[in-house]
Amino acid sequence: MEYAKLETATLAHVDDSYYYGAYCRRCKHAARLSLEKLRGHLGDSFPLIKLKDRLRCERCRSRQIVITFLAPNQKTGNVATLFREPPRR
């Protein structure tokens, strides 16, 4: 089975069996995002890779958001690997 990839997927390619979470670097709030609600607000053709730029923390309103995207076949993930960023220490 082939799963959607963050780099090429749109909201139409994924459902809530995927894990799409957000974490605020400023206040440490974390939440799982509802892909169904995102599709209703942004439309099916919105690219997943651009979603981070549209997010704001619901607690402190910061845009310092870290996204975690996991396909249904992935049990865990490392944000640095998923986004190809060097790990922060």
Side-chain angles (χ1 to χ4, degrees):
M1 176 176 252
E2 185 151 333
Y3 294 103
K5 294 183 175 143
L6 179 63
E7 296 81 13
T8 57
T10 65
L11 288 170
H13 294 119
V14 294
D15 59 25
D16 281 327
S17 65
Y18 286 77
Y19 179 87
Y20 207 70
Y23 169 81
C24 178
R25 288 182 180 166
R26 186 172 170 205
C27 75
K28 313 298 185 228
H29 177 244
R32 181 174 182 166
L33 302 174
S34 168
L35 294 164
E36 183 177 322
K37 287 179 182 178
L38 289 169
R39 275 193 300 280
H41 182 69
L42 298 170
D44 285 340
S45 62
F46 195 85
L48 286 179
I49 197 84
K50 292 185 177 184
L51 192 57
K52 179 185 177 298
D53 298 333
R54 298 292 301 266
L55 296 178
R56 197 184 279 263
C57 179
E58 66 183 4
R59 283 198 185 154
C60 73
R61 307 302 291 160
S62 170
R63 290 200 180 265
Q64 297 177 27
I65 305 296
V66 175
I67 299 292
T68 302
F69 175 80
L70 297 173
N73 66 325
Q74 296 173 302
K75 302 248 187 242
T76 61
N78 178 325
V79 176
T81 302
L82 292 172
F83 293 99
R84 293 190 179 97
E85 292 178 1
R88 295 176 187 238
R89 294 182 196 245

